[in-house]
Amino acid sequence: GIAVGSGYPTTVGAYDVSFGGNWDAVITKFNSTGTALVYSTYIGGSDADQPHSLVTDAAGNLVILGVTASSNFPTTSGTYDNSFNGGNFLLEDGIYYNNGIDIFVAKLNTTGSALLGSTYIGGSSNDGFSLNTQLKFNYADHARGEVVLDDYNNIYITSSTKSSNFPTTSGSHQQTLGGDYDAIVASFSSDLTTLSWSTYLGGSSGDAGYSIRANNNMVAVCGGTLSSNIGATPGTIHSTRPGGVDGYVATFDKSNGFLNALTYLGTSAYDQAY
């Protein structure tokens, strides 16, 4: 969750027991009966920080996806990107993101006492939020996004970006911003040192990435779109846009982010895929 000040219950020996500033991410683990804290910690810098999704690996380490406006968000040596990329001032749901926002991905050890890895990823505009007014329909739709792991603990994320220079990789599906907001899909090594592949997913209007899954062969992503040219592939359920706001489902080659198939999902009314 998020904390707006000091006093959130932390535990002795946790990674960070002090409030950083503006808003911090807070990560709390309870025992199986909910009667005691296993660990509880702040994670953040001097501006606003917010977690969006988290998942544990087989060892109990916790991987967290979120957004940060902090130029001093805690990153770890040797990870993909230790530098805040900035963005445009943003006021959203009463939270001031004074420096714009980047996506962060962080891995907390099983006792909550140390970061095993932590990295920024983003471009020079705002990353991690989808603020298109037609896609932002339900509460916190703008803050949707997800992180998952495969059997080898490689890390996969989907989210959204407004940056025309979001980092992408050669051979992936799409290396240029389609327009307005695009979804993004990216894969990291398990230690967050390497961006294995990264791609935009979007057409000339607004697009957002909400949920992701990975198996041994492919990565699947779903979200919402206003674009009639998002890149639907022939022979799929809806290779042309039904109309209104639509959902979509896309599958990618797990090794390089190449698009295997994409279908719209919806009707002529309002639809999104979560």
Side-chain angles (χ1 to χ4, degrees):
I2 50 179
V4 70
S6 58
Y8 186 84
T10 58
T11 53
V12 175
Y15 168 70
D16 187 355
V17 297
S18 300
F19 179 67
N22 201 343
W23 296 68
D24 272 359
V26 286
I27 304 295
T28 300
K29 181 178 181 178
F30 293 89
N31 66 1
S32 61
T33 58
T35 58
L37 298 180
V38 177
Y39 66 78
S40 187
T41 184
Y42 292 100
I43 298 180
S46 55
D47 208 283
D49 317 283
Q50 180 186 126
H52 290 174
S53 176
L54 44 80
V55 64
T56 54
D57 65 19
N61 303 308
L62 186 72
V63 182
I64 308 155
L65 167 73
V67 297
T68 179
S70 299
S71 59
N72 59 346
F73 186 87
T75 60
T76 52
S77 177
T79 49
Y80 167 69
D81 186 358
N82 299 116
S83 300
F84 182 62
N85 301 283
N88 306 309
F89 169 81
L90 184 63
L91 172 62
E92 186 62 29
D93 288 345
I95 306 176
Y96 289 89
Y97 298 89
N98 293 297
N99 305 308
I101 49 174
D102 272 1
I103 295 168
F104 75 81
V105 186
K107 180 183 279 191
L108 193 63
N109 70 353
T110 186
T111 60
S113 61
L115 286 177
L116 302 177
S118 180
T119 183
Y120 294 102
I121 181 170
S124 55
S125 191
N126 291 331
D127 314 283
F129 278 171
S130 174
L131 295 171
N132 182 286
T133 55
Q134 290 176 269
L135 295 178
K136 186 187 170 188
F137 185 82
N138 302 293
Y139 176 75
D141 269 354
H142 67 285
R144 292 182 186 271
E146 192 168 30
V147 59
V148 293
L149 310 176
D150 66 12
D151 291 342
Y152 305 99
N153 291 325
N154 297 307
I155 297 166
Y156 302 85
I157 67 168
T158 189
S159 187
S160 304
T161 185
K162 199 173 177 65
S163 294
S164 60
N165 57 346
F166 190 89
T168 59
T169 53
S170 176
S172 67
H173 167 58
Q174 181 179 343
Q175 282 87 56
T176 56
L177 182 72
D180 190 29
Y181 285 87
D182 274 5
I184 60 94
V185 189
S187 170
F188 291 91
S189 60
S190 61
D191 59 3
L192 291 169
T193 59
T194 304
L195 181 66
S196 303
W197 55 264
S198 176
T199 180
Y200 290 102
L201 177 58
S204 55
S205 191
D207 314 280
Y210 294 148
S211 190
I212 187 168
R213 292 292 183 270
N215 64 18
N216 291 332
N217 300 308
M218 70 176 67
V219 175
V221 174
C222 70
T225 181
L226 295 165
S227 297
S228 58
N229 57 345
I230 194 175
T233 53
T236 51
I237 296 169
H238 288 296
S239 58
T240 58
R241 181 179 170 221
V245 177
D246 289 313
Y248 68 84
V249 180
T251 62
F252 297 86
D253 187 303
K254 184 183 170 186
S255 65
N256 58 12
F258 183 81
L259 182 70
N260 291 328
L262 189 152
T263 182
Y264 289 100
L265 196 64
T267 67
S268 59
Y270 169 85
D271 313 277
Q272 292 202 71
Y274 301 114

